[in-house]
Amino acid sequence: MSLEYQVFPVSTPAEGAGGKTGNWRTVRPVVTDRCIGCNACFLWCPEGTIGVVGRKAKVYYEYCKGCGVCANVCPVKAIEMVMEQ
Amino acid sequence: MMKVMSGNEAVALAVKLARVGVVGIYPITPQTTIIEELAEMRARGELSADIVRVESEHSAMAVTLGAAVSGVRSFTATSSQGLLYMHEMVWWTSGSRAPLVMVVATRAVGAPWNIWNENTDFMSERDSGWIMAFASTPQEALDLTLQAFRISEDPRVFLPVMVGMDGFILSHTKTNVFIPSQEDVDNFIPPRRQPYVIDPETKESMGNIFPPIYYMKLRQSIHEAITNSEEVIKEVGREYNKISPLGDYGTLNVSYKLDDADYAVVTMGAWSLDAMEAVDKLRENGLNVGLYRVRYIRPWSEKEIRENLGDKRAILVVDRATSLGRGGPLYLELKSTLNIPIKGVVTGLGGVSVGKRDFYSLISRFVEEARYSEVGGVEWYYPGEVKEVELGTPRTAH
Amino acid sequence: MTMRMMGMALGNNVALIVVAGCSSVIQGMGPKNSYGYPALNIAFAAGPAAASGMWRAFKQRNKDVTVVVWAGDGGTADIGFASLSGAAERNENFIYVCVDNEAYMNSGGQRSGSTPHGAVTPTTPEGKKENKKELLFLMLDHHVPYAATASVGYPHDLMDKLRRAKTIEGFRYLQVLTPDPYGWLFDPSRTAEVGKLAVQTCYWPLLEVVNGRVQVSNESLHCLRKETRRPLRDFLSVQGRYKRLNDQDYKELESYVDYTWDRILKLMRT
């Protein structure tokens, strides 16, 4: 008997399984030169889309929702929220 | 080995023989002595299973499911209100495709309170995606429970199995039961198999949101697994026949003196034995009748049923359950399977005692009717001295 | 946010049980998911019981896996409370994380047993009349070996607590306050800030109770004396859900904070 009919409600981890952000983000975080690489943004980001690369924070825009938490928690106000075009 | 035991004791023994790992327990009459017996076995050191004494039936099923998806054979039992209370988890379990076994000692559903036997609780789960077997003796309760573990864990099935038995009539009545040896059972039930295991090693998850098309496919998969389980059940039954000298499990359902019969009665559960005695008596008196006992309500074997009943002139279906407003569930299932005159009888609800005399009179009256007219419809039958029933309540009487 | 912090705190050998709620949705669509952990998604009231079966299964299979139940405040305070209470009383060996956003946020923010007095929700448009259910105290009455509160405003404290919980055997309860911008009505960028304000104004006490010994976390030590507490208004005024608050409601909430801390002080003395 072929077992092809057997499918199960099982899922496996995959990057971006929650879907990409698309074009509904209204503001985006932009890291300026003031960044001291302290990782506060990485710690608080709900999406895991910002982190320190080298000595400066880097944003992964594909999944960033533009919530602005990073800009708010940054101790040196190094992140600016810029309107999307 | 033969031993005198009740249906509940037989089930507890089957759970022990199947080397179950986790049992979720919550008391409800008439199932309670199954879990008491298991707790006793555990206290005596005879049972290795972890017993979880939960705070509700909903949790009993959740514990059993949690253990099953994490790779361990698990079991629970319930009745009546308990089954209804865990209804949500009954569906979640089949949807999860978790192989596990539950025994239901049937009992009427309230309101009003009633602890006596009726199969409506069991029958009300027939849409839920479980394999569903129903025993007629304590022996069969043990046999079907053992087979249930193997059927449930077969890769062609991978579904939970519910084994029903009549509350009190089987759960608390002692008869002689053959017990297969532990060695035979170990050979009969292979090591646990299941479709996936929740484990940090596999990282697989179960049950997040799936798109509509995928969801529908998952449902169709359960449907096909139930349909295909028919072959698995017969195969497992034939294997089981080799380790137990009593009973024959090579077919899903059981026919009795049907080959040459013109008319047949269809039943399920313990009272089938009363009905068989009535059939014998009727045959002595020249009526050509036979009996068909439904053992598996899911899968519903259309093929077996057509082969055994398709050529009958008319059949009488006696239900110990109701689909209120529509008659008995067995009756409805048979109506949708066969194209012959079928009459339904609903009786024995809430513990109303129906014996072989009642079957004798029901069947003889039915044959009489069927000979000269087109039978059909559903009759509510009250046995013996309660033929005249006043349906008015005390309130309307005033 | 809390989910990511847990990932940092607990390491890899974790199996999750996720009851109905926002966390059932953010995993994305099957057959893929966005969690790094294996997760059993399950009906609302079934989490603690399923975890009871799961950790026993791992034990029987000789696997060292930390089982974590992930539930919202609705699943904890309301529909799942019997199951939670049963598992806590049996001292089942898993960590229970209640992500407390103080309402049924996944279905649109309706009031739950954990919604505070005065909060406007779709089912309490005039403001909730009753106080928030005392889940931590209720858990303490179950004699659990570990119970704590945390806030996403203070991630290090939260991760410390999770790490400590991991080393303890038995039932471990952690309730995390997770401000919800859409339900509490504030700008999402201020999530961490609001989580801090809740602690600074002493509305949300950060505690850790190990085997009955109550310890107030550093961030909440100033709350032990009434004079050093930051005014409650600083927490309430940044949220739109308290827009209907009148003076009497405000007094009620203030006395709720006093009551909470009196009770904590009493527990510390015993």
Side-chain angles (χ1 to χ4, degrees), chain A residues 1-13, chain B residues 95 97 155-157 196 205 207-208 218 221 224 228:
Chain A
M1 188 188 291
S2 157
L3 286 175
E4 261 176 30
Y5 63 89
Q6 290 285 45
V7 285
F8 307 110
V10 176
S11 55
T12 45
Chain B
R97 305 299 301 267
R156 292 164 287 180
V157 182
Y196 59 91
S205 291
N208 57 325
L218 289 163
S221 174
E224 285 181 26
N228 291 341

Coordinates of all heavy atoms in Angstrom, one line a residue, chain A residues 1-13, chain B residues 95 97 155-157 196 205 207-208 218 221 224 228:
Chain A
M1 N 0.8 -1.2 0.0 CA 0.0 0.0 0.0 C 0.9 1.2 0.0 O 1.8 1.4 0.8 CB -0.9 0.0 1.2 CG -1.9 1.1 1.3 SD -2.8 1.2 2.9 CE -3.7 -0.4 2.8
S2 N 0.6 2.2 -0.9 CA 1.4 3.4 -0.9 C 1.0 4.3 0.3 O -0.2 4.3 0.6 CB 1.1 4.1 -2.2 OG 1.4 5.5 -2.0
L3 N 1.9 4.9 0.9 CA 1.6 5.7 2.1 C 1.5 7.2 1.7 O 1.6 8.1 2.6 CB 2.6 5.5 3.2 CG 2.5 4.2 3.9 CD1 3.7 4.0 4.9 CD2 1.2 4.0 4.6
E4 N 1.3 7.5 0.4 CA 1.3 8.9 0.0 C 0.2 9.7 0.6 O 0.3 10.9 0.7 CB 1.2 8.9 -1.6 CG 2.6 9.2 -2.2 CD 2.5 9.1 -3.7 OE1 1.4 9.5 -4.2 OE2 3.5 8.7 -4.3
Y5 N -0.9 9.0 1.0 CA -2.0 9.8 1.5 C -1.7 10.3 2.9 O -2.5 11.1 3.5 CB -3.3 8.9 1.5 CG -3.2 7.7 2.4 CD1 -3.5 7.7 3.8 CD2 -2.7 6.5 1.9 CE1 -3.4 6.6 4.6 CE2 -2.6 5.3 2.7 CZ -2.9 5.4 4.1 OH -2.8 4.3 4.9
Q6 N -0.7 9.8 3.5 CA -0.4 10.2 4.9 C 0.3 11.5 5.0 O 1.5 11.6 4.7 CB 0.4 9.1 5.6 CG -0.3 7.8 5.9 CD -1.3 7.9 7.1 OE1 -2.0 8.9 7.2 NE2 -1.3 6.9 7.9
V7 N -0.4 12.6 5.3 CA 0.3 13.9 5.6 C 0.0 14.3 7.0 O -1.1 14.0 7.5 CB -0.1 15.0 4.6 CG1 0.5 14.8 3.2 CG2 -1.6 15.0 4.4
F8 N 0.9 15.0 7.7 CA 0.8 15.3 9.1 C 0.9 16.8 9.3 O 1.7 17.5 8.6 CB 1.8 14.5 9.9 CG 1.7 13.0 9.6 CD1 2.8 12.4 8.9 CD2 0.6 12.3 10.0 CE1 2.7 11.0 8.7 CE2 0.6 10.9 9.7 CZ 1.6 10.3 9.1
P9 N 0.3 17.3 10.3 CA 0.4 18.8 10.6 C 1.7 19.2 11.2 O 1.7 19.8 12.3 CB -0.8 19.0 11.5 CG -1.0 17.7 12.3 CD -0.6 16.6 11.3
V10 N 2.7 18.8 10.6 CA 4.1 19.1 11.2 C 4.8 20.2 10.4 O 4.6 20.3 9.2 CB 4.9 17.8 11.1 CG1 6.3 18.0 11.6 CG2 4.2 16.7 12.0
S11 N 5.5 21.0 11.1 CA 6.3 22.0 10.4 C 7.7 22.1 11.0 O 8.0 21.6 12.1 CB 5.6 23.4 10.7 OG 5.5 23.6 12.1
T12 N 8.6 22.6 10.1 CA 10.0 22.7 10.5 C 10.5 24.1 10.4 O 9.9 24.9 9.6 CB 10.9 21.8 9.5 OG1 10.4 22.1 8.2 CG2 10.7 20.3 9.8
P13 N 11.5 24.5 11.2 CA 11.9 25.9 11.3 C 12.5 26.3 9.9 O 13.1 25.6 9.3 CB 13.0 25.9 12.3 CG 12.9 24.6 13.1 CD 12.2 23.6 12.1
Chain B
G95 N -6.5 15.1 15.2 CA -5.9 16.1 14.3 C -4.4 16.1 14.4 O -3.7 16.3 13.4
R97 N -2.7 13.5 14.8 CA -2.3 12.2 14.3 C -1.4 11.5 15.4 O -0.5 10.8 15.1 CB -1.5 12.3 13.0 CG -2.2 13.1 11.9 CD -3.5 12.4 11.6 NE -3.4 11.1 11.1 CZ -3.3 10.7 9.8 NH1 -3.3 11.7 8.9 NH2 -3.2 9.5 9.4
P155 N 1.9 2.5 10.5 CA 2.1 3.7 9.7 C 1.0 3.9 8.7 O 0.9 5.0 8.1 CB 3.4 3.3 9.0 CG 4.1 2.3 9.8 CD 3.0 1.5 10.5
R156 N 0.2 2.9 8.3 CA -0.9 3.1 7.4 C -2.1 3.8 8.1 O -3.0 4.3 7.5 CB -1.4 1.8 6.9 CG -0.4 1.1 5.9 CD -0.7 -0.3 5.7 NE -0.4 -1.1 6.9 CZ -0.6 -2.5 6.9 NH1 -1.1 -3.1 5.9 NH2 -0.2 -3.1 8.0
V157 N -2.0 3.8 9.5 CA -3.1 4.4 10.3 C -2.7 5.7 11.0 O -3.1 6.7 10.7 CB -3.7 3.4 11.3 CG1 -4.8 4.0 12.0 CG2 -4.1 2.1 10.5
Y196 N 5.8 11.5 14.0 CA 6.8 12.5 14.3 C 7.0 12.5 15.8 O 6.1 12.0 16.5 CB 6.3 13.9 13.8 CG 5.0 14.3 14.5 CD1 5.0 15.1 15.7 CD2 3.8 14.0 13.9 CE1 3.8 15.4 16.3 CE2 2.6 14.3 14.5 CZ 2.6 15.0 15.7 OH 1.5 15.3 16.4
S205 N 7.8 20.8 14.8 CA 6.6 21.3 15.5 C 5.3 20.8 15.0 O 5.3 20.3 13.9 CB 6.6 22.9 15.5 OG 7.7 23.4 16.2
G207 N 1.1 21.5 14.6 CA -0.2 22.2 14.9 C -0.2 23.7 14.8 O -1.2 24.3 15.2
N208 N 0.8 24.3 14.1 CA 0.6 25.8 13.9 C -0.4 26.0 12.8 O -0.9 25.0 12.3 CB 2.0 26.5 13.7 CG 2.7 25.9 12.5 OD1 2.7 24.7 12.3 ND2 3.5 26.8 11.8
L218 N -5.0 17.7 5.1 CA -4.8 17.0 6.4 C -6.1 16.3 6.8 O -6.0 15.1 7.3 CB -4.4 18.0 7.5 CG -2.9 18.6 7.3 CD1 -2.7 19.8 8.2 CD2 -1.9 17.5 7.6
S221 N -6.5 13.3 4.6 CA -5.6 12.3 5.0 C -6.1 11.4 6.1 O -6.0 10.2 6.1 CB -4.2 12.9 5.4 OG -3.4 11.9 5.9
E224 N -8.7 9.1 4.7 CA -8.2 8.0 4.0 C -7.5 7.0 4.9 O -7.5 5.8 4.7 CB -7.2 8.5 2.9 CG -8.0 9.0 1.7 CD -7.2 9.5 0.6 OE1 -6.1 9.0 0.4 OE2 -7.7 10.4 -0.2
N228 N -8.4 3.2 5.0 CA -7.4 2.1 4.8 C -7.1 1.3 6.1 O -6.5 0.2 5.9 CB -6.1 2.8 4.4 CG -6.2 3.4 3.0 OD1 -7.1 3.0 2.2 ND2 -5.3 4.3 2.7

